[in-house]
Amino acid sequence: GRMTSTPTRAKRKKTARETQAKGPRTLAIDIGGSGLKALVLDPQGKSLDERHRVKTPQPATPKAVLAALVYGGVAPAPAVAVATVGNVLGSLTVYLLGLWVARGGAGPLGRWVQRRAAQEGPRLERARVRLATWGGPALLLAWLPVVGDVVVLAAGLVRLQPASFLVFVSLGKGLRYLVVALSVLAARHTGISP
């Protein structure tokens, strides 16, 4: 018989990108008084990227922090994800307080929520009407200043389903932060500084 040999492949060294692709990554953000620092970490906590540092915007609102980080070179997708999740968690707190009061929650916290609802009076009533008319999609407005918190509180008070709440609040806030990040990328690309 004739012998044939199978060519052996030399093991090639993985590229940095291939190495980075394994496991979850973490976007670590430090919001300091004078500077924002951001770094992407691998599952073991090792840096995958260079540290990004930019001046802390004043006031350091979520939108301003996101814009500063993206302008400073942080990848927009994880920055938008972090901003969205953080903002949705804040809204979830207000929603759960409203839901708790709607289900008979009392005590000092319940009285605080009831006072807040009374202060919002006509705005809260308009939010309840929007929710009765549109249902969950009314929460796409949750990102709006002033009105957003009232709509979120009303969603809890009218006992809107949690799944509907999470879907529409996440969508509204996520789209808002996506628009912010894309606007900043366009500004950075054209050389406009913040």
Side-chain angles (χ1 to χ4, degrees):
R2 187 169 164 211
M3 284 187 67
T4 58
S5 65
T6 307
T8 58
R9 286 191 213 186
K11 283 197 171 185
R12 118 181 128 74
K13 196 172 183 179
K14 291 185 177 180
T15 65
R17 186 174 289 289
E18 289 171 325
T19 304
Q20 290 177 10
K22 290 189 175 180
R25 291 178 272 172
T26 302
L27 176 60
I29 301 172
D30 175 13
I31 303 174
S34 63
L36 300 171
K37 284 80 65 186
L39 187 62
V40 179
L41 305 172
D42 71 8
Q44 290 74 40
K46 293 180 184 166
S47 173
L48 292 174
D49 202 354
E50 63 187 57
R51 179 179 80 133
H52 299 276
R53 186 181 193 291
V54 294
K55 186 178 175 188
T56 301
Q58 297 299 327
T61 63
K63 184 173 84 172
V65 168
L66 172 66
L69 289 171
V70 171
Y71 196 87
V74 172
V80 167
V82 168
T84 301
V85 168
N87 221 269
V88 168
L89 288 173
S91 291
L92 183 60
T93 303
V94 174
Y95 165 77
L96 290 173
L97 287 170
L99 191 59
W100 182 64
V101 167
R103 292 182 175 166
L109 192 55
R111 287 190 297 275
W112 177 84
V113 172
Q114 289 170 341
R115 278 194 309 274
R116 170 81 192 267
Q119 289 171 351
E120 294 298 341
R123 257 193 293 225
L124 185 61
E125 192 50 42
R126 283 193 299 274
R128 286 180 185 197
V129 168
R130 281 189 194 103
L131 284 162
T133 305
W134 300 344
L139 289 163
L140 293 170
L141 303 174
W143 64 269
L144 290 169
V146 182
V147 175
D149 284 345
V150 176
V151 174
V152 167
L153 179 59
L157 291 171
V158 301
R159 299 179 183 191
L160 186 74
Q161 291 298 312
S164 181
F165 172 83
L166 286 172
V167 166
F168 289 106
V169 167
S170 298
L171 187 60
K173 289 179 181 281
L175 288 173
R176 172 196 188 198
Y177 289 127
L178 180 62
V179 168
V180 169
L182 293 175
S183 299
V184 169
L185 285 175
R188 190 174 83 189
H189 180 72
T190 58
I192 299 171
S193 64

